[in-house]
Amino acid sequence: MLYASIALFVLAATLGATILITWLRKKNAPKAVVYSHGLLAVSGLLVLLYYAFTHPAAYPKLAIGLFIAAALGGIYMFLTSGPDKAKPIPIAGLHALLAVSGLVTLLVYVFG
């Protein structure tokens, strides 16, 4: 289950990097990429939360907290940015930093 969560987060991170690079080039990211990024990230978080509920004695608490914080930033960006609006690059950077920190924390938990 943890491996599935990691795989989903890695795929989401790849699409997230694509979105950020597109934004830095002052272009709009394709909607399919934006929606796929969100769906993969939410799926990874749900799998991780399911693992936490089925293993209450030992689960990656810090990674879950970081992913939830990243998700809140992602939801904010999704709701406030659009094709005709300015891109929230600083928030996107913080979102990415939180998500990558969560992924590294999860990797250390699983493989460390």
Side-chain angles (χ1 to χ4, degrees):
M1 216 176 318
L2 290 175
Y3 295 138
S5 181
I6 290 169
L8 289 166
F9 284 129
V10 167
L11 290 171
T14 303
L15 293 177
T18 302
I19 295 167
L20 184 58
I21 289 167
T22 304
W23 282 5
L24 290 172
R25 292 181 179 164
K26 308 280 190 225
K27 297 181 181 179
N28 292 317
K31 285 185 180 181
V33 174
V34 173
Y35 291 135
S36 297
H37 167 72
L39 288 173
L40 287 167
V42 166
S43 298
L45 184 55
L46 289 175
V47 170
L48 189 56
L49 288 171
Y50 179 78
Y51 176 84
F53 285 118
T54 58
H55 298 84
Y59 62 93
K61 297 171 187 73
L62 179 58
I64 290 172
L66 290 167
F67 283 129
I68 289 172
L72 292 173
I75 291 167
Y76 172 80
M77 287 187 294
F78 182 77
L79 294 175
T80 60
S81 66
D84 300 334
K85 297 180 183 177
K87 305 303 180 220
I89 301 295
I91 295 172
L94 178 60
H95 168 74
L97 181 64
L98 288 167
V100 169
S101 297
L103 181 57
V104 169
T105 304
L106 182 59
L107 290 169
V108 168
Y109 176 82
V110 173
F111 298 111

